[in-house]
Amino acid sequence: MNASVFIATSLDGFIARPNGELDWLHGGEGEGGPHGYDEFIATVDALVIGRKTYEVVLAFETWPYGDKPVFVLSTGALAPAPPGAGVEHMSGDAAEIVSRLSARGIRHIYVDGGVTIQRFLRAGLIQRLVINRIPVLIGAGIPLFGELSHDIRLRHVSTRQFAGGLVQSEYDVVE
C-alpha cells in the first residue's frame, strides 16, 4: 500500500495555531490558485485522518472529501458525519491500520492530521510527502513533524512556486 501526505504549513513549519485554528491558511498572499490538490485527491482510494483533523473538517462549509472513504483514528466516539460522507471509526497502531485497509483492497491512502502523519512516518509507512509552504510566520502552533527515533531520509522530487508565494515541494521517503 502507498501512503501519501498533502499538507500546508506556515513557513515556520506549523500546520495550525496552538488552538488548532487555520485562519492563516486562507485569504492571504499565499493562495495564488490551484496547487494540485484535486489531481492528488483523485489518485487516492481513501483517507486516514485523526480525530482532531476530523473535527476541524466538520466545521467546513462543505465536506471536502466527496465520496472517498474516510477512516478517522480515535479511541473515543466520533461526532456524527455529514450526510453522504463515508466516515468510519478506526483505532490501532499504524501498521495494523494499513494491514486492515490493504485487506479491504485499498491501495493508496492520504494520511492527514499532525499526530497521524507523525505516527505513520515513525512507523515507516509514508512513501510521499507534498508540503505546501504558505508565506506566513505564525510563531507558534502545532508542528508538522515531531520527535523521531531516527533520521528519515527524503529524495526531492520537485518544487513549484505559485503566484501568491506558496512553495510546494514533493519528496519521496527513502528511509
Side-chain angles (χ1 to χ4, degrees), residues 10 20 27-28 36 47 49 58 75 78 82 95 101 112 136 140 150:
S10 60
L47 291 87
I49 65 176
L58 284 177
T75 55
L78 300 178
L101 294 178
D112 198 11
V136 62
H150 64 283

Side-chain angles (χ1 to χ4, degrees), residues 96-173:
E96 182 183 330
I97 289 160
V98 165
S99 178
R100 291 193 332 230
L101 294 178
S102 185
R104 291 168 78 162
I106 294 171
R107 298 288 166 239
H108 185 198
I109 57 172
Y110 168 13
V111 179
D112 198 11
V115 172
T116 304
I117 291 168
Q118 292 171 19
R119 285 176 56 197
F120 276 68
L121 270 173
R122 278 196 227 52
L125 297 169
I126 301 288
Q127 289 79 38
R128 178 179 174 216
L129 296 163
V130 179
I131 302 171
N132 297 282
R133 289 181 307 281
I134 309 294
V136 62
L137 300 171
I138 63 173
I142 300 167
L144 171 55
F145 301 112
E147 202 172 301
L148 298 169
S149 61
H150 64 283
D151 293 350
I152 296 175
R153 300 260 177 227
L154 307 174
R155 182 180 61 82
H156 178 257
V157 174
S158 66
T159 295
R160 301 187 308 170
Q161 177 182 344
F162 293 88
L166 180 143
V167 175
Q168 180 183 81
S169 294
E170 181 178 342
Y171 301 91
D172 287 336
V173 177

Side-chain angles (χ1 to χ4, degrees), residues 54 57-58 63 65 68 70 72 77-89:
Y54 174 65
V57 169
L58 284 177
W63 182 248
Y65 307 126
K68 297 274 183 191
V70 177
V72 181
L78 300 178
V87 173
E88 187 175 323
H89 178 254

